[in-house]
Amino acid sequence: MLKQKTFSAMGILLISGTFFGCSPTLNIGQSPESMATTSAQNNIPSSPSENPTITSNDNLVSQLLNTRKCVGCNLQGLKLENIDLRNVNLENANLTGAKLEKTDLTGANLRNVILIQGDLDEANLTEADLSNADLTRADLENTNLMNANLSNANLTRADLADAILTNANLQNTNFTEADLEDAIFTGANTRGANFSGADLEGVIGLQ
């Protein structure tokens, strides 16, 4: 489980809204020309790492951060951890393998997103719309999903241990073989939900 709070996109790291990498600090919104000038002044190369991590397209990441939306974008392998993404619109986006650990996605539009094997450990998804999302084998341990909409979502083999699903909409949600140990379902609508093979040890409030 990754605990490092970084964003890696083409060799650049994002920590609390600031980029760090081979080049000096790059604040969000700083132009590439400004970055190059700063690099030259400090005699530091601005080229990416020799072994960059495969991440999402830099332009799409910038679009997401600047406009708070990236509908239908291909953001596979996105690494954007522990930052504010409240109310972003990522409907129909491909976030396969995305690293969003501890990220605040309160009220986010994540309808129809693909988050297969995504890391959302300790993320805040309060009131987020994840209807019809594919979260197969996703890590949602300790995630806050209070009042979230997960209707018709696929959570097969997902890890939701200690997750908070209070008052969540879980109609027709697929929890097949999911780890739900100690998860809280108080007030959740589980009508039509599939819990086949799920680990329900210590679950609270499941009707």
Side-chain angles (χ1 to χ4, degrees):
M1 183 182 301
L2 294 177
K3 292 298 180 182
Q4 184 179 8
K5 303 173 182 177
T6 62
F7 162 72
S8 172
M10 300 301 293
I12 300 173
L13 300 179
L14 173 64
I15 303 178
S16 298
T18 304
F19 289 95
F20 294 89
C22 297
S23 59
T25 301
L26 172 63
N27 294 321
I28 296 175
Q30 182 180 359
S31 67
E33 293 79 10
S34 176
M35 173 183 169
T37 300
T38 306
S39 298
Q41 292 173 344
N42 291 276
N43 297 315
I44 301 175
S46 58
S47 59
S49 169
E50 293 181 0
N51 299 298
T53 301
I54 297 175
T55 61
S56 54
N57 183 287
D58 286 345
N59 293 331
L60 295 181
V61 173
S62 296
Q63 175 184 327
L64 173 61
L65 295 174
N66 293 327
T67 69
R68 315 294 288 181
K69 62 182 178 180
C70 202
V71 176
C73 293
N74 183 358
L75 295 166
Q76 294 187 66
L78 174 71
K79 290 188 177 182
L80 212 57
E81 300 168 310
N82 196 32
I83 69 167
D84 181 2
L85 288 179
R86 288 175 294 176
N87 301 310
V88 295
N89 185 354
L90 285 165
E91 185 171 1
N92 297 312
N94 185 350
L95 292 159
T96 299
K99 307 298 182 184
L100 297 165
E101 183 181 356
K102 296 184 179 180
T103 293
D104 190 350
L105 288 154
T106 300
N109 179 359
L110 299 168
R111 288 194 296 268
N112 304 307
V113 299
I114 301 173
L115 263 162
I116 296 171
Q117 291 186 311
D119 184 358
L120 292 150
D121 185 15
E122 296 186 52
N124 188 352
L125 287 155
T126 302
E127 298 183 352
D129 188 350
L130 287 147
S131 54
N132 299 297
D134 189 348
L135 291 147
T136 302
R137 299 190 303 280
D139 182 359
L140 293 152
E141 188 175 359
N142 296 298
T143 298
N144 187 349
L145 289 155
M146 185 180 294
N147 297 311
N149 182 4
L150 286 153
S151 58
N152 299 297
N154 185 3
L155 287 149
T156 299
R157 296 184 179 179
D159 183 358
L160 290 109
D162 297 297
I164 301 172
L165 294 134
T166 303
N167 298 322
N169 181 356
L170 306 174
Q171 291 189 78
N172 303 311
T173 303
N174 186 0
F175 289 104
T176 300
E177 297 184 12
D179 182 357
L180 301 173
E181 186 175 354
D182 297 320
I184 301 173
F185 284 82
T186 305
N189 182 352
T190 58
R191 184 175 182 180
N194 183 356
F195 292 95
S196 300
D199 182 354
L200 302 175
E201 183 179 353
V203 167
I204 298 173
L206 185 60
Q207 301 296 320

